[in-house]
Amino acid sequence: MTLSDDLAASLVGVVVLAVVATLVLALFRVPRLWEPAVAIVRGAAQLAVISVILTGIVSSPEWIAVALVVMFTIASIVATGRIGWSLRDFGTMSSSIAAGVVVALSIVFSTGALEFTPRYALAIGAIIIGNSMSIATLTGRSFTRSVNDHWDEVEGWLALGAKPRQSTITLARGAVRDALIPSIDQTKTTGLVVLPGAFVGAIFGGISPLEAGRFQIVVLAAIMAAGSVAAVLIALWMGDVRTRPKAVLA
């Protein structure tokens, strides 16, 4: 098959999968049932553009750095939008995600776990930023919902003289734990239930399974470290609750 044939077949498969997702959600009357299909269309368009761009910059440290900054900025904006928009919320999300990413990447490259090259920096940097965004989003949404659901308890602690962060600390810890569960489960079941994309992609790229496995476990450990740092910082920042937060709708 030619490249054009492969692309056409892939396009058909993606369209069918998007239709299935939409139909299932429609039958169950799930709100915003078009979101998965729209996300697939956007993802396809964005991947097409980034594939062309990366072909020209993959060996340039300067452009790789620019690409990572753009990814981080978009991740911060998306995570903030999921908990309600404000400059304070954006500062909370962006600083927490940045701290997690910097800590994880510093350890990965300073210990020699991965060689500090533009390709590795782009690959692991993008993966960590994306996963940190998801963990940050889950932490913020879980914490906000928990505070709303248990507001009588929080208000009671405040009335007894507890500081705002003391009144929500149990809820904050629960939110961090819940946000990390998907990453914990993925890491625990890697090789048994899940073959992560980085592992499969590395093998398809011609790397030996052993080398691919080494890269993947470094990636998973980095995600856990970055996500833990980001989630805890978000919980601490958001824990200073003095009034009942607005319900999360996004």
Side-chain angles (χ1 to χ4, degrees):
M1 293 180 67
T2 64
L3 178 59
S4 59
D5 291 335
D6 289 338
L7 289 174
S10 297
L11 179 60
V12 171
V14 168
V15 170
V16 173
L17 291 169
V19 170
V20 169
T22 304
L23 285 176
V24 170
L25 297 178
L27 290 172
F28 200 61
R29 298 182 181 180
V30 176
R32 303 185 181 185
L33 61 93
W34 293 105
E35 282 192 343
V38 172
I40 291 171
V41 172
R42 282 187 56 177
Q46 290 161 190
L47 280 173
V49 173
I50 198 66
S51 296
V52 173
I53 294 174
L54 290 180
T55 300
I57 71 169
V58 73
S59 60
S60 171
E62 295 79 10
W63 284 110
I64 291 297
V66 171
L68 290 173
V69 169
V70 171
M71 292 175 187
F72 163 75
T73 302
I74 295 173
S76 299
I77 292 172
V78 170
T80 305
R82 288 297 187 181
I83 64 170
W85 186 262
S86 73
L87 286 178
R88 183 179 185 276
D89 290 334
F90 179 75
T92 296
M93 286 296 182
S94 60
S95 62
S96 300
I97 293 173
V101 172
V102 169
V103 168
L105 289 181
S106 297
I107 293 172
V108 166
F109 292 124
S110 66
T111 60
L114 292 178
E115 184 181 357
F116 186 41
T117 64
R119 289 176 182 269
Y120 272 134
L122 175 64
I124 193 170
I127 293 171
I128 293 174
I129 289 171
N131 281 273
S132 296
M133 174 189 71
S134 298
I135 292 171
T137 299
L138 291 173
T139 303
R141 290 171 67 85
S142 178
F143 177 76
T144 301
R145 282 203 181 99
S146 293
V147 172
N148 262 305
D149 292 343
H150 298 85
W151 181 247
D152 290 342
E153 298 173 25
V154 173
E155 204 169 34
W157 280 109
L158 291 172
L160 291 173
K163 295 180 180 179
R165 285 193 176 89
Q166 290 177 319
S167 66
T168 60
I169 188 62
T170 300
L171 303 177
R173 288 168 177 159
V176 170
R177 169 64 180 172
D178 289 346
L180 290 172
I181 285 177
S183 296
I184 292 171
D185 288 348
Q186 181 186 27
T187 303
K188 287 196 304 184
T189 59
T190 294
L192 298 176
V193 177
V194 179
L195 287 180
F199 177 80
V200 175
I203 291 178
F204 282 159
I207 296 177
S208 70
L210 184 60
E211 183 66 16
R214 181 180 75 89
F215 176 70
Q216 183 61 62
I217 193 59
V218 172
V219 168
L220 291 173
I223 290 172
M224 295 296 295
S228 297
V229 171
V232 168
L233 288 176
I234 288 167
L236 287 173
W237 279 107
M238 295 185 70
D240 189 20
V241 175
R242 300 173 187 276
T243 57
R244 187 170 191 168
K246 296 180 180 178
V248 176
L249 300 176

